[in-house]
Amino acid sequence: MEQRQQRKASKQRDWSQFLNKSLVKKLIIAGIIVALCGLLVVNIFIWTSDVSKLNKPAPLPTIIYDQNGEIASKISNSSIEGVGIKQIPEEVIHAVVATEDQRFYNHGGINYFAIMKAFVKNMLSGDIVAGGSTVTQQLAKNAFLTHERTYTRKIKELIITKKIERTYSKDEIMERYLNQIYFGEGAWGIQRAAKTYFGKEASELTLSESAMLAGLIKAPSILSPFKNMEKSIERRNLVLSLMEQEGYISASDVKKAKEQPVVLKEEEVEDEYDGKYPYYVDHIIEEAMTKYKLTKNEVLSGGLHIFTELNPTIQKATEEVYQNDNLFPASQSDQLLQSGAIFIAPESGGIQALVGGRGEHTLLGFNRATQLVRQPGSTMKPLAVYTPALEQGYEVFDLLQDSPLNIGGYQPKNFDKQYRGEVTMYDAVVNSYNVPPVWLLNEIGLEQGTKSVERFGISLQEEDHSLGIALGGMHEGTSPLLMAQAYSAFANDGTMAEAHSIQKIEDADGKVIAKWKNKSTKITDPEIAQKITYMLKGVVQEGTGKKAFMDGIDIAGKTGSTQLPFANDAGTKDHWFVGYTPDVVGAVWLGYDQTDETHYLGTSSSGTTPVIFKEILSKAKSELSDEKFALSGIEKKYKNEIKKIKEVMEKARKEQEKEKEKENQKKYNGKGNKEKNKGKKDKDKDKDKDKDENEEDEDE
């Protein structure tokens, strides 16, 4: 009986042990399942988290280089100015790692020991007073989360941190962190911090400066050297000690860094290149987007290096002239008289300089040097008439008709409303007569003229195919850029290079992503171009462009003006001057954006745009060579022609004088006879009067 009870009790103990073991196992299994599920859920959250925002590198300023490879300007659309990891000194990275996250290169984004330590502190204090955040966690918080201190936000932070670590390399994480972290004094990112505190590029920071900036991250408003130099130096020294402990620097390095004086940039730092040459930069952005298919954001924030054709001397000269209101006619009080100018190198087509307007500049606003579309007036004559006429065998000193014309109802008139019967092509060009080129275009054929204009790179509409094209009459018009490009053919022996501002574009790593390919077109023969230059040189020496003349510099060019869209013979709508030297071609436009009865130009173009052109070249004279136009052959040929023409004209003048003298003599003789007869009649009247008086006397 007793044995049976013992056996029973033993069985119960065994069964109880079995049940206990089974429960433990079940609990263990359940715990494992829960953990796996939790891990799966966490990984799902990590996997589905979107950190693509970090794919966009911190906005890097785009650097603009001039034709000499020197920095000319910088552009950016962000208050953050990013730099690549290669431009960040190792001392900065080591200082940040030693101070903020000593196991940065070893952990997977989370320092669990630091988190547990912070958790204990928080539990003891009853509030969240510590975080134990790694560099990656700080990046996650700054880029994606608010700065509220809650456990929910902390969990989100951990999930995003793991996603970042799985997506980016340590260098990529560090680069993004240093470009986004706040260093105080309004400086976001290491580049702005370097400029704000020390007035230099991030790449130029010393060990002492690197340690000081790394020390600011903890409490930038309190540790700023501008506010408390003593605390800032104390913090710097701590950072240097931590760097030594981590093996990044030696004791000797620490000693030297501590001895180095802290030199702050007291005044507000302004980048000398930021916002420089605004209109030229506007055109670069437009060209990068249209020709090379870059987006606006890529250009403004992609850290590109854009090498250009910019000539800083000519650009500065142009900007200085456009800031001098005395060189421009007075504006109406409610609207500024506007203008645009552009200069290009005739051989390469490289845009040397441009200004797109007067007054306040707006980023990517309307650029009158490149985007303006206006009728070009008489500056069109060499393109539409004189070039094709010379190509068909006409000569510079051939006589053209200058008498009243009526061709299908079209009746052009000269500016002075006078007619001279016949004038040479040279005189017609020099004095900008209107009737001769219209007559000449009609003689050679309208189609020859319109084809010539299009050869010069100027598009025409259907409405432009009329004799009015001889005088620049167009339905819409063209731009200073295209006019300068067209005239470059005359300065370059008949070959026209496509105008452009960009030579090449490199990305932030120095890889060439776009490059200019030379595009030149033969427009006419060199001899024809030289003949046009010969006449346009005359315009500047003795014609309507005299105010563009400069001693010692060969200049050729053409003035132009356009009629008002309403009845007013005393004013004009647009003024133009397109001129060139052997080195540079320029186009200047002047007028109101909105022309009406109270906003128009009251003077002729000869007194405005040539003056602006000359002033710009005078200020940029150092960029102009002593080279002369290659016209010796043409001038020699025309020397005899001019002599013969002068002899013929002198003979004609003398004959005209003789004829005039004869006519005057006839008039004089006729007048003498009339006076003689009149005298006789007066004498007879006097006699009759005396007789009557005698008779009266006798009566009395």
Side-chain angles (χ1 to χ4, degrees):
M1 183 76 180
E2 187 175 333
Q3 288 180 350
R4 189 184 305 164
Q5 286 177 345
Q6 287 176 351
R7 282 197 300 271
K8 187 176 180 182
S10 175
K11 284 181 182 180
Q12 286 177 346
R13 283 196 302 272
D14 291 343
W15 179 247
S16 177
Q17 288 176 357
F18 172 77
L19 287 176
N20 287 336
K21 286 181 181 179
S22 179
L23 180 61
V24 169
K25 284 182 181 179
K26 286 179 180 179
L27 288 173
I28 290 171
I29 292 170
I32 292 171
I33 291 172
V34 169
L36 288 174
C37 288
L39 191 61
L40 178 62
V41 169
V42 169
N43 275 277
I44 289 172
F45 277 118
I46 294 171
W47 178 66
T48 55
S49 294
D50 182 14
V51 294
S52 60
K53 180 181 177 181
L54 295 177
N55 286 340
K56 298 176 182 177
L60 304 172
T62 286
I63 313 298
I64 308 296
Y65 299 86
D66 63 25
Q67 60 183 213
N68 302 314
E70 300 293 330
I71 295 177
S73 186
K74 287 183 181 180
I75 49 177
S76 176
N77 65 349
S78 173
S79 59
I80 296 177
E81 184 177 337
V83 284
I85 193 73
K86 292 179 182 178
Q87 282 75 51
I88 301 173
E90 280 191 348
E91 287 87 350
V92 172
I93 297 170
H94 293 160
V96 169
V97 170
T99 310
E100 295 294 318
D101 188 1
Q102 295 173 357
R103 297 190 67 252
F104 173 71
Y105 289 104
N106 299 315
H107 61 61
I110 299 172
N111 187 336
Y112 294 103
F113 176 76
I115 288 177
M116 290 304 298
K117 187 177 176 183
F119 180 75
V120 171
K121 279 186 179 181
N122 294 336
M123 290 295 290
L124 292 173
S125 66
D127 194 6
I128 298 178
V129 295
S133 294
T134 63
V135 161
T136 315
Q137 285 175 265
Q138 291 181 52
L139 175 61
K141 179 174 65 177
N142 289 332
F144 300 99
L145 302 169
T146 65
H147 285 245
E148 62 178 340
R149 287 178 172 271
T150 64
Y151 287 110
T152 302
R153 199 272 296 160
K154 198 68 180 175
I155 291 170
K156 289 179 181 177
E157 179 188 298
L158 296 178
I159 290 171
I160 293 172
T161 296
K162 295 302 291 185
K163 178 68 172 185
I164 291 172
E165 284 282 343
R166 293 179 186 181
T167 307
Y168 302 101
S169 69
K170 289 292 185 180
D171 279 348
E172 288 172 335
I173 292 168
M174 181 58 72
E175 178 185 299
R176 285 157 174 76
Y177 173 79
L178 286 173
N179 280 321
Q180 293 195 22
I181 202 71
Y182 185 58
F183 288 88
E185 302 293 336
W188 291 89
I190 189 66
Q191 176 76 347
R192 290 283 185 188
K195 288 182 177 178
T196 298
Y197 291 103
F198 305 113
K200 58 173 65 176
E201 301 286 320
S203 59
E204 300 170 339
L205 289 169
T206 65
L207 173 59
S208 173
E209 292 164 347
S210 299
M212 182 167 279
L213 292 182
L216 294 178
I217 295 172
K218 178 181 179 182
S221 61
I222 298 171
L223 298 172
S224 167
F226 288 126
K227 295 186 177 77
N228 194 323
M229 177 61 78
E230 189 178 336
K231 277 189 176 181
S232 188
I233 289 177
E234 185 182 325
R235 178 69 176 171
R236 178 204 66 182
N237 294 343
L238 174 61
V239 173
L240 289 170
S241 299
L242 290 171
M243 291 176 74
E244 183 187 1
Q245 287 178 25
E246 293 299 312
Y248 291 124
I249 56 176
S250 66
S252 174
D253 294 328
V254 173
K255 186 173 181 294
K256 288 178 184 177
K258 287 181 178 180
E259 290 173 352
Q260 186 178 355
V262 177
V263 181
L264 296 177
K265 190 75 173 178
E266 295 292 343
E267 68 272 13
E268 186 178 346
V269 178
E270 288 186 9
D271 193 326
E272 63 176 306
Y273 302 112
D274 188 28
K276 206 170 182 183
Y277 310 138
Y279 280 108
Y280 196 99
V281 168
D282 281 354
H283 182 65
I284 289 169
I285 296 170
E286 292 289 347
E287 191 172 297
M289 291 191 295
T290 55
K291 282 189 179 177
Y292 301 109
K293 308 305 177 187
L294 296 173
T295 65
K296 180 179 174 182
N297 196 52
E298 283 175 318
V299 179
L300 294 177
S301 305
L304 304 179
H305 298 268
I306 304 180
F307 296 82
T308 74
E309 301 281 359
L310 172 70
N311 182 313
T313 303
I314 302 178
Q315 181 65 34
K316 286 175 187 173
T318 309
E319 291 185 0
E320 284 177 14
V321 167
Y322 270 73
Q323 288 164 5
N324 185 353
D325 292 339
N326 294 326
L327 294 171
F328 296 83
S331 303
Q332 293 295 329
S333 59
D334 61 336
Q335 189 181 160
L336 182 65
L337 180 64
Q338 276 297 346
S339 183
I342 187 167
F343 292 85
I344 68 175
E347 190 173 346
S348 67
I351 297 174
Q352 307 281 283
L354 68 85
V355 169
R358 299 176 66 207
E360 188 176 347
H361 168 264
T362 303
L363 178 66
L364 294 178
F366 185 56
N367 194 325
R368 295 165 190 84
T370 59
Q371 298 171 331
L372 176 93
V373 177
R374 289 289 182 97
Q375 293 183 346
S378 293
T379 59
M380 182 62 82
K381 293 172 183 175
L383 313 180
V385 182
Y386 296 120
T387 293
L390 291 171
E391 289 171 340
Q392 288 199 19
Y394 278 84
E395 270 297 349
V396 170
F397 289 100
D398 282 349
L399 293 173
L400 310 179
Q401 290 296 313
D402 184 24
S403 51
L405 277 182
N406 188 334
I407 304 173
Y410 181 51
Q411 303 178 58
K413 291 180 175 60
N414 292 322
F415 186 76
D416 61 2
K417 306 294 188 295
Q418 302 294 315
Y419 299 98
R420 293 153 189 87
E422 286 185 330
V423 295
T424 63
M425 182 187 294
Y426 179 85
D427 286 332
V429 173
V430 166
N431 297 299
S432 200
Y433 297 144
N434 290 334
V435 174
V438 175
W439 174 85
L440 183 56
L441 180 58
N442 191 54
E443 289 293 306
I444 66 173
L446 175 60
E447 188 177 357
Q448 295 299 319
T450 54
K451 282 183 177 179
S452 176
V453 173
E454 290 176 331
R455 252 191 299 153
F456 277 101
I458 296 172
S459 299
L460 297 179
Q461 298 182 15
E462 189 177 342
E463 299 94 327
D464 298 331
H465 290 256
S466 69
L467 290 175
I469 194 67
L471 308 181
M474 301 176 70
H475 182 63
E476 289 185 352
T478 187
S479 67
L481 169 61
L482 291 180
M483 289 305 295
Q485 177 182 274
Y487 271 59
S488 71
F490 301 138
N492 193 37
D493 282 336
T495 298
M496 183 181 76
E498 185 177 337
H500 63 285
S501 62
I502 296 172
Q503 292 180 1
K504 67 175 179 178
I505 303 175
E506 294 178 355
D507 64 16
D509 296 322
K511 180 183 176 183
V512 177
I513 59 174
K515 194 170 184 179
W516 167 252
K517 294 179 182 177
N518 185 42
K519 296 177 183 177
S520 296
T521 307
K522 182 181 177 182
I523 304 299
T524 190
D525 293 331
E527 187 178 3
I528 302 298
Q530 290 164 15
K531 289 178 180 179
I532 293 289
T533 296
Y534 177 81
M535 292 190 287
L536 296 183
K537 186 178 176 183
V539 171
V540 175
Q541 289 179 331
E542 56 180 312
T544 58
K546 281 190 291 187
K547 290 191 176 180
F549 179 80
M550 290 174 63
D551 285 326
I553 303 292
D554 257 9
I555 298 177
K558 185 74 191 72
T559 55
S561 58
T562 62
Q563 291 181 333
L564 291 169
F566 47 85
N568 186 331
D569 292 337
T572 50
K573 181 182 179 184
D574 306 281
H575 285 181
W576 290 81
F577 183 77
V578 186
Y580 56 96
T581 75
D583 304 300
V584 67
V585 184
V588 180
W589 167 85
L590 182 72
Y592 282 101
D593 286 339
Q594 302 296 329
T595 303
D596 54 37
E597 284 81 354
T598 56
H599 300 93
Y600 61 87
L601 294 158
T603 59
S604 68
S605 59
S606 61
T608 57
T609 44
V611 174
I612 297 168
F613 180 89
K614 177 185 176 179
E615 285 295 319
I616 292 169
L617 290 196
S618 296
K619 288 180 178 292
K621 201 170 182 179
S622 61
E623 300 301 299
L624 305 178
S625 68
D626 296 330
E627 185 182 351
K628 304 297 180 184
F629 291 124
L631 301 177
S632 56
I634 298 292
E635 288 173 339
K636 187 176 179 181
K637 177 181 177 182
Y638 288 142
K639 193 173 182 180
N640 293 330
E641 292 284 340
I642 294 168
K643 188 178 179 182
K644 287 178 185 177
I645 288 167
K646 282 185 176 179
E647 287 174 356
V648 170
M649 291 178 76
E650 182 65 20
K651 187 177 178 182
R653 186 183 65 79
K654 286 180 179 179
E655 287 178 357
Q656 284 178 355
E657 284 181 355
K658 283 181 182 179
E659 288 295 324
K660 198 172 183 181
E661 193 175 330
K662 285 180 182 178
E663 288 179 9
N664 288 338
Q665 189 64 41
K666 284 180 182 178
K667 287 179 182 178
Y668 176 76
N669 290 337
K671 187 179 180 183
N673 290 331
K674 283 180 181 178
E675 287 177 352
K676 192 174 180 181
N677 291 332
K678 184 183 179 187
K680 189 178 179 182
K681 286 179 181 178
D682 290 342
K683 202 170 182 182
D684 291 341
K685 276 184 179 180
D686 290 340
K687 282 181 181 180
D688 291 341
K689 187 177 181 183
D690 291 342
K691 186 179 179 182
D692 291 340
E693 286 176 353
N694 290 335
E695 286 176 352
E696 286 174 7
D697 290 339
E698 289 175 359
D699 290 340
E700 291 175 351

